[in-house]
Amino acid sequence: LAFRKGSHTLYSASHDRSVRAWNIDEMAFIEALFGHQSDITAIDCHFRERAVTCSSDRSVRFWKIPEESQLVLQGGHKASLDCVKMLDEVHFLSGSQDGTLALWHTSKKKPCSIIRGAHGDSWISSVATLPNSNVVASGASDGKVRFWKADLNTRRLTAPSLGSVDVPGFCNALAFGNTGRILVAGGGQEHRLGRWQRDPNGKNRLYVFRLPEGPQAEESYDSAGSQSD
């Protein structure tokens, strides 16, 4: 699910391979769009009537909702894509079961930048972006949430990571707060899409991290404090 910012429009996507638009004011279904060849695993949107999805068919699709059209973007990932988030109206970030993290632009059908083995041998299970900034985050099953710099001028992801914080087990969800001061992570003992593995060290809980701010913020993400509920 993803709400279009500044509106009461909701977009949904599911294993039936459809993207659906809903009007929350009228509690009504608007339309459905199809194109993916397999289950849709994530969806996100920004202010415009646009959405981005990823799928186990190894593609990312950028949807122009009013026009009922789509851009198909592939390459870079060799396994199912499990997560995608927009940075602005034309840039977005994806993560895959092959462990790659990719930065995309709507003008290119292949990733602008790729980091392979972003979490070692673990596949990427969640990503987060701070809209209109250069900071992104990724989560996996290696017990770490990692922070990365996404330079939108050069369209490059910078490695090594800016730092990391601990989330035991599988990190199944990530979201920055509106101000960029906090990051919320959803941890679990199993992957959100299936029970392929189980990590007894994981906890089914939310983790809230207070992030550094100011000119030196990018150099101090390892010092982020955490709380868990």
Side-chain angles (χ1 to χ4, degrees), residues 123-142:
W123 71 42
I124 310 297
S125 53
S126 58
V127 293
T129 59
L130 186 56
N132 302 310
S133 79
N134 62 355
V135 176
V136 300
S138 61
S141 59
D142 63 345

Side-chain angles (χ1 to χ4, degrees), residues 15-74:
H15 284 196
D16 68 2
R17 301 180 290 181
S18 71
V19 173
R20 297 176 184 265
W22 308 82
N23 185 317
I24 301 304
D25 287 328
E26 300 178 3
M27 301 298 289
F29 165 71
I30 301 174
E31 62 180 322
L33 303 175
F34 294 87
H36 278 293
Q37 302 302 304
S38 189
D39 305 345
I40 300 176
T41 53
I43 185 171
D44 196 30
C45 57
H46 207 48
F47 286 97
R48 299 179 65 191
E49 292 182 89
R50 303 286 188 265
V52 62
T53 57
C54 64
S55 167
S56 55
D57 66 8
R58 304 181 186 180
S59 75
V60 175
R61 297 187 185 233
F62 183 73
W63 303 82
K64 299 179 180 179
I65 305 297
E67 296 89 338
E68 298 184 3
S69 65
Q70 59 190 279
L71 300 175
V72 182
L73 302 96
Q74 291 179 304

Side-chain angles (χ1 to χ4, degrees), residues 15 20 29 37 41 52 68 74 87 97 112 116 124 127 153 161 172 186 193 195 207 227:
H15 284 196
R20 297 176 184 265
F29 165 71
Q37 302 302 304
T41 53
V52 62
E68 298 184 3
Q74 291 179 304
L87 284 91
Q97 291 185 11
C112 301
R116 300 194 183 279
I124 310 297
V127 293
N153 292 320
S161 66
N172 287 320
L193 295 178
R195 308 185 70 176
Y207 297 84
Q227 298 175 340

Side-chain angles (χ1 to χ4, degrees), residues 44 46 48 50-53 60-64 70-74 84-93 103-112 152 155:
D44 196 30
H46 207 48
R48 299 179 65 191
R50 303 286 188 265
V52 62
T53 57
V60 175
R61 297 187 185 233
F62 183 73
W63 303 82
K64 299 179 180 179
Q70 59 190 279
L71 300 175
V72 182
L73 302 96
Q74 291 179 304
V84 66
K85 286 288 184 180
M86 298 188 77
L87 284 91
D88 57 24
E89 298 291 359
V90 294
H91 293 91
F92 40 93
L93 185 75
L103 177 67
W104 304 78
H105 188 277
T106 56
S107 66
K108 296 175 67 70
K109 291 188 176 182
K110 293 187 177 181
C112 301
L152 301 187
R155 299 177 185 172

